[in-house]
Amino acid sequence: MHRSRLILAAILLFVLSHAPAGAEAIGVAMDDFSYTDTSAEPANQTAAHERRLSAFMAALRRDVSADGRYRLAASAQDGAAFKVIGGIQKTSTLVQWAKVAVIDVGAKKLVMDKLYTFRGDNDESWERAEMFVSREVMAALATPAPVALAVFEFELEDTTAATVGASAASDASYLAEVTAGVRESLSQSGRYRIVDVSGEAAKVPALRDCGGCEAAIAQKLGADQSLIGVVRRVSRTEYTLGFQLRDSRTGAVLARGDSGLRMGADYSWKRGAVRLVSDRLIESQAKP
């Protein structure tokens, strides 16, 4: 065994020995990679390529299963939380390419999608390539899964004169923009997976006054957390923004934010809400 392989094995053994006791291993499904030879070399190397690809896949599966955090699974039905797929193409005598992707099965989202090149077509070059791909796959698997978050429609608390007719329709439009902007910002952060809440929230007229009932609704929808937000209109050109994040299982408040008094027309609500959630939730939780 090459010295580099021994080093990798030692690293994996260290990780295995330090895995949390009693933690359930995460299922990882891994299909055999495809192989294509477009090098147009005269010699038929099919048998050698099949042997090397088989050794490559065996080593990759061995590396993943050696880490106590993971177990190999046949499919999602067998409890696979992630799926690893890929393919290798030989384009010339000395150049091969490997395309590798890791899919979060539950979120239906790619957590890794990379293209690698490696030189050579012998046992040693294939082994080096597997070690590199193995490290990349393990790093992708260790990336925290996004939190399933139910973001409910932002609500308007108007302390000015009653709003009717065209103004009410305009308010609804601006509130929809606020909600869409906040959902997009949270989703793009990579830390959250937005859960569809259409239909359920409409059963409660004002979530801001329901004593935390949004957490139970979120749990029913399969979300880990819930978020509600309020735009409070103080005057036609003054408003405040607030949001509250809860654990859907316990109902505990995990985070909240309030913008304080802001100046601006109704169309500025979206910008203010996105900035508030970014400052008080996304960026603050990203800090060590």
Side-chain angles (χ1 to χ4, degrees):
M1 182 180 290
H2 293 289
R3 180 173 179 273
S4 55
R5 172 61 67 184
L6 289 170
I7 293 173
L8 179 59
I11 293 172
L12 290 172
L13 180 62
F14 173 84
V15 173
L16 177 61
S17 65
H18 286 75
E24 184 177 354
I26 299 170
V28 180
M30 190 181 303
D31 293 343
D32 285 339
F33 288 8
S34 63
Y35 190 83
T36 305
D37 187 351
T38 58
S39 65
E41 290 181 303
N44 187 336
Q45 302 181 72
T46 301
H49 290 152
E50 289 178 350
R51 176 179 59 80
R52 287 169 182 151
L53 180 61
S54 178
F56 180 100
M57 296 307 305
L60 188 56
R61 290 187 174 102
R62 184 169 60 247
D63 290 345
V64 171
S65 60
D67 188 321
R69 295 171 296 177
Y70 309 107
R71 65 175 180 84
L72 293 178
S75 64
Q77 287 70 32
D78 190 33
F82 294 94
K83 184 169 185 176
V84 181
I85 59 175
I88 299 174
Q89 179 179 7
K90 182 175 181 178
T91 57
S92 70
T93 301
L94 293 176
V95 178
Q96 301 197 77
W97 295 85
K99 176 77 169 178
V100 185
V102 178
I103 304 168
D104 183 322
V105 176
K108 297 180 180 179
K109 177 181 179 181
L110 285 170
V111 295
M112 187 186 95
D113 185 15
K114 294 185 177 180
L115 181 65
Y116 308 99
T117 182
F118 62 98
R119 295 182 63 81
D121 186 12
N122 54 35
D123 291 350
E124 184 178 358
S125 62
W126 275 75
E127 181 177 308
R128 288 197 306 268
E130 185 280 327
M131 291 177 59
F132 186 84
V133 169
S134 175
R135 288 195 296 268
E136 294 281 290
V137 168
M138 297 299 288
L141 292 174
T143 302
V147 175
L149 177 62
V151 180
F152 295 99
E153 300 289 338
F154 271 62
E155 299 173 351
L156 177 63
E157 186 176 307
D158 194 346
T159 59
T160 64
T163 305
V164 296
S167 295
S170 177
D171 289 343
S173 176
Y174 286 128
L175 286 173
E177 290 181 4
V178 169
T179 305
V182 168
R183 285 172 177 162
E184 181 181 12
S185 180
L186 290 166
S187 178
Q188 289 182 349
S189 73
R191 299 185 60 250
Y192 297 98
R193 173 172 61 87
I194 305 304
V195 174
D196 183 12
V197 300
S198 57
E200 288 296 324
K203 298 176 182 178
V204 182
L207 289 173
R208 66 184 184 276
D209 296 326
C210 75
C213 70
E214 74 275 5
I217 298 173
Q219 185 179 34
K220 181 179 178 181
L221 295 170
D224 302 313
Q225 298 175 5
S226 65
L227 185 145
I228 60 172
V230 181
V231 178
R232 302 180 185 89
R233 178 187 279 142
V234 179
S235 71
R236 299 308 300 183
T237 58
E238 296 176 313
Y239 66 95
T240 67
L241 295 160
F243 76 86
Q244 190 162 262
L245 184 78
R246 290 183 184 271
D247 183 298
S248 63
R249 183 177 60 84
T250 66
V253 176
L254 303 176
R256 55 164 54 96
D258 197 301
S259 67
L261 189 63
R262 288 176 176 263
M263 300 290 292
D266 298 348
Y267 55 75
S268 64
W269 294 352
K270 174 183 174 180
R271 183 173 63 251
V274 169
R275 183 71 264 171
L276 176 66
V277 170
S278 178
D279 288 345
R280 303 293 178 83
L281 186 56
I282 298 173
E283 294 181 10
S284 66
Q285 293 192 9
K287 295 177 181 178

